Amino acid sequence: MTTTSPRDEPIPDLDAASDLLRALASPVRVGIVRELAGGSKRVHELVTALGVSQPLVSQHLRVLRSSRIVSAHRQAREVEYSLTDEHVAHIVLDAIRHTQE
């Protein structure tokens, strides 16, 4: 039997949504998603765009990859990162716009 909330949302669905928001709960990760919303990028491009260190970007990419928000594709000697789902970009970009109002 699936437990539901007062709004009839199954708890596992709420857990999944909570996990997604938790994975985005960092300014650096939000910035990475914002940058990837414009297309695939390599780590050095993200470092330049965000103004943070390469090890920090790599650490946050690891979190985003484990949450299946970002995927990696090898391009010769470099790895190119992209969003696995454009819906996440909409969530992040809407949140950024909302805070600017």
Side-chain angles (χ1 to χ4, degrees):
M1 181 169 129
T2 303
T3 307
T4 60
S5 73
R7 293 190 170 263
D8 295 329
E9 294 292 330
I11 294 297
D13 292 346
L14 298 176
D15 288 341
S18 181
D19 290 344
L20 170 65
L21 294 173
R22 196 173 305 112
L24 294 171
S26 161
V28 174
R29 291 193 291 269
V30 167
I32 290 170
V33 172
R34 182 192 64 195
E35 292 302 317
L36 295 178
S40 298
K41 301 249 186 306
R42 294 175 178 89
V43 173
H44 69 87
E45 294 171 310
L46 293 169
V47 166
T48 300
L50 299 172
V52 296
S53 70
Q54 183 272 324
L56 185 60
V57 168
S58 294
Q59 176 184 355
H60 286 287
L61 282 167
R62 198 168 17 262
V63 172
L64 293 171
R65 284 183 69 191
S66 70
S67 299
R68 297 187 187 129
I69 294 170
V70 168
S71 60
H73 308 282
R74 185 158 291 284
Q75 292 279 335
R77 292 176 35 201
E78 294 187 292
V79 178
E80 193 170 79
Y81 293 89
S82 60
L83 295 174
T84 57
D85 185 349
E86 294 300 318
H87 288 101
V88 175
H90 293 292
I91 292 167
V92 167
L93 295 174
D94 285 347
I96 292 169
R97 279 191 287 273
H98 179 73
T99 60
Q100 292 171 341
E101 294 177 350

